[in-house]
Amino acid sequence: MQQIPLEHILLLSAVLFSLGILAVITKRHAVVVLMGIELIFNAANLNLVAFSRHDPSLMQGQLFSLFVIVVAAAEAAVALAIVLRVYQHFRTANLNEISTDQN
């Protein structure tokens, strides 16, 4: 069985990371920003697993990847709860329209 070269996996990870950064910076909707953050986490996980697979004697990359998955799941649950609460209060999920001013 032929193994995928490390460079290809790192290129895919860089593309995922770039798309995540692009979504976080350019998008205004809170859910899309959260999806961008998840893309960034997945790019980091892909790097961790790729380097761990590149050197089979070390398993730290896979262990860190599991830790990142757990943190990402908790972050998604808390962030979606916050977004729902903000939507109830401000009636928008657009990050530019949220203000603490009590006009």
Side-chain angles (χ1 to χ4, degrees):
M1 178 180 259
Q2 190 173 1
Q3 189 174 0
I4 299 173
L6 182 63
E7 294 82 16
H8 293 177
I9 297 173
L10 295 180
L11 180 64
L12 176 63
S13 177
V15 168
L16 282 175
F17 187 82
S18 299
L19 288 173
I21 290 291
L22 185 68
V24 169
I25 292 174
T26 61
K27 299 301 179 183
R28 307 269 192 268
H29 199 274
V31 175
V32 177
V33 171
L34 291 175
M35 288 180 0
I37 293 170
E38 292 297 325
L39 275 175
I40 293 170
F41 281 149
N42 287 330
N45 279 341
L46 190 57
N47 272 340
L48 290 169
V49 172
F51 283 120
S52 178
R53 185 170 176 171
H54 185 66
D55 188 6
S57 65
L58 300 175
M59 294 292 288
Q60 289 94 354
Q62 293 174 0
L63 294 175
F64 279 125
S65 180
L66 286 174
F67 179 72
V68 170
I69 290 170
V70 169
V71 169
E75 173 263 337
V78 170
L80 284 175
I82 291 171
V83 167
L84 288 174
R85 186 69 180 146
V86 166
Y87 183 79
Q88 283 179 345
H89 187 268
F90 293 105
R91 294 289 179 217
T92 185
N94 190 341
L95 297 176
N96 288 343
E97 296 175 9
I98 296 172
S99 175
T100 58
D101 295 336
Q102 299 292 332
N103 293 329

